[in-house]
Tab-separated table of all heavy atoms in Angstrom:
chain	number	residue	atom	x	y	z
B	60	SER	N	9.661	-26.743	72.377
B	60	SER	CA	10.716	-25.921	71.693
B	60	SER	C	10.156	-24.847	70.758
B	60	SER	O	10.925	-23.985	70.364
B	60	SER	CB	11.620	-26.896	70.949
B	60	SER	OG	10.983	-27.466	69.924
B	61	GLY	N	9.001	-24.993	70.346
B	61	GLY	CA	8.469	-24.056	69.356
B	61	GLY	C	8.895	-24.392	67.951
B	61	GLY	O	8.792	-23.647	67.068
B	62	LEU	N	9.521	-25.576	67.815
B	62	LEU	CA	10.008	-26.015	66.528
B	62	LEU	C	9.136	-27.060	65.952
B	62	LEU	O	8.764	-28.022	66.628
B	62	LEU	CB	11.475	-26.567	66.733
B	62	LEU	CG	12.623	-25.702	66.224
B	62	LEU	CD1	12.449	-24.290	66.733
B	62	LEU	CD2	13.941	-26.262	66.742
B	63	ILE	N	8.781	-26.936	64.731
B	63	ILE	CA	8.075	-27.991	64.030
B	63	ILE	C	8.851	-28.510	62.930
B	63	ILE	O	9.448	-27.846	62.134
B	63	ILE	CB	6.753	-27.383	63.447
B	63	ILE	CG1	5.860	-26.818	64.569
B	63	ILE	CG2	6.043	-28.443	62.633
B	63	ILE	CD1	5.244	-27.836	65.454
B	64	GLY	N	8.982	-29.850	62.780
B	64	GLY	CA	9.711	-30.470	61.698
B	64	GLY	C	8.905	-30.680	60.547
B	64	GLY	O	7.702	-30.806	60.578
B	65	LEU	N	9.565	-30.492	59.367
B	65	LEU	CA	8.832	-30.713	58.037
B	65	LEU	C	9.735	-31.546	57.241
B	65	LEU	O	10.889	-31.252	56.981
B	65	LEU	CB	8.586	-29.345	57.389
B	65	LEU	CG	8.056	-29.425	55.976
B	65	LEU	CD1	6.663	-30.039	55.962
B	65	LEU	CD2	7.969	-28.132	55.248
B	66	VAL	N	9.243	-32.708	56.883
B	66	VAL	CA	9.991	-33.597	56.009
B	66	VAL	C	9.267	-33.790	54.735
B	66	VAL	O	8.178	-34.263	54.668
B	66	VAL	CB	10.160	-34.995	56.633
B	66	VAL	CG1	10.978	-35.959	55.746
B	66	VAL	CG2	10.888	-34.820	57.979
B	67	ILE	N	9.956	-33.301	53.680
B	67	ILE	CA	9.332	-33.440	52.364
B	67	ILE	C	10.358	-34.105	51.436
B	67	ILE	O	11.481	-34.071	51.657
B	67	ILE	CB	8.888	-32.051	51.765
B	67	ILE	CG1	10.112	-31.071	51.875
B	67	ILE	CG2	7.697	-31.493	52.423
B	67	ILE	CD1	9.836	-29.708	51.313
B	68	PRO	N	9.874	-34.768	50.331
B	68	PRO	CA	10.780	-35.493	49.490
B	68	PRO	C	11.762	-34.583	48.819
B	68	PRO	O	12.893	-34.841	48.791
B	68	PRO	CB	9.822	-36.121	48.456
B	68	PRO	CG	8.466	-36.099	49.050
B	68	PRO	CD	8.472	-34.877	49.967
B	69	GLU	N	11.310	-33.351	48.316
B	69	GLU	CA	12.303	-32.556	47.636
B	69	GLU	C	11.838	-31.111	47.805
B	69	GLU	O	10.776	-30.741	47.477
B	69	GLU	CB	12.388	-32.907	46.227
B	69	GLU	CG	11.292	-33.746	45.593
B	69	GLU	CD	11.520	-34.311	44.191
B	69	GLU	OE1	12.710	-34.868	43.967
B	69	GLU	OE2	10.598	-34.061	43.409
B	70	ILE	N	12.805	-30.288	48.278
B	70	ILE	CA	12.547	-28.867	48.525
B	70	ILE	C	12.447	-28.169	47.226
B	70	ILE	O	11.750	-27.219	47.034
B	70	ILE	CB	13.615	-28.290	49.406
B	70	ILE	CG1	13.665	-29.059	50.739
B	70	ILE	CG2	13.352	-26.856	49.619
B	70	ILE	CD1	14.761	-28.504	51.603
B	71	ASP	N	13.239	-28.712	46.258
B	71	ASP	CA	13.457	-27.901	45.057
B	71	ASP	C	12.414	-28.148	43.978
B	71	ASP	O	12.363	-27.542	42.913
B	71	ASP	CB	14.841	-28.093	44.416
B	71	ASP	CG	15.133	-29.542	44.273
B	71	ASP	OD1	14.542	-30.413	44.976
B	71	ASP	OD2	16.050	-29.897	43.512
B	72	SER	N	11.491	-29.175	44.234
B	72	SER	CA	10.390	-29.277	43.354
B	72	SER	C	9.422	-28.177	43.594
B	72	SER	O	9.155	-27.809	44.725
B	72	SER	CB	9.649	-30.586	43.436
B	72	SER	OG	8.449	-30.545	44.217
B	73	PRO	N	8.971	-27.472	42.489
B	73	PRO	CA	8.034	-26.337	42.705
B	73	PRO	C	6.874	-26.551	43.637
B	73	PRO	O	6.557	-25.745	44.508
B	73	PRO	CB	7.549	-25.999	41.273
B	73	PRO	CG	8.638	-26.680	40.385
B	73	PRO	CD	9.169	-27.774	41.074
B	74	TYR	N	6.247	-27.696	43.533
B	74	TYR	CA	5.054	-27.941	44.326
B	74	TYR	C	5.518	-27.996	45.870
B	74	TYR	O	4.871	-27.258	46.629
B	74	TYR	CB	4.429	-29.278	43.996
B	74	TYR	CG	3.229	-29.662	44.894
B	74	TYR	CD1	2.089	-28.958	44.836
B	74	TYR	CD2	3.404	-30.663	45.852
B	74	TYR	CE1	0.997	-29.201	45.710
B	74	TYR	CE2	2.425	-30.964	46.665
B	74	TYR	CZ	1.255	-30.288	46.652
B	74	TYR	OH	0.221	-30.578	47.475
B	75	PHE	N	6.471	-28.652	46.150
B	75	PHE	CA	6.871	-28.742	47.606
B	75	PHE	C	7.511	-27.428	47.985
B	75	PHE	O	7.293	-27.047	49.178
B	75	PHE	CB	7.815	-29.960	47.806
B	75	PHE	CG	7.078	-31.206	47.822
B	75	PHE	CD1	7.360	-32.137	46.832
B	75	PHE	CD2	6.140	-31.534	48.835
B	75	PHE	CE1	6.639	-33.352	46.888
B	75	PHE	CE2	5.474	-32.716	48.915
B	75	PHE	CZ	5.726	-33.674	47.854
Side-chain angles (χ1 to χ4, degrees):
Chain B
S60 61
L62 256 45
I63 300 290
L65 172 65
V66 178
I67 51 183
E69 17 191 48
I70 301 176
D71 52 339
S72 102
Y74 174 72
F75 284 112

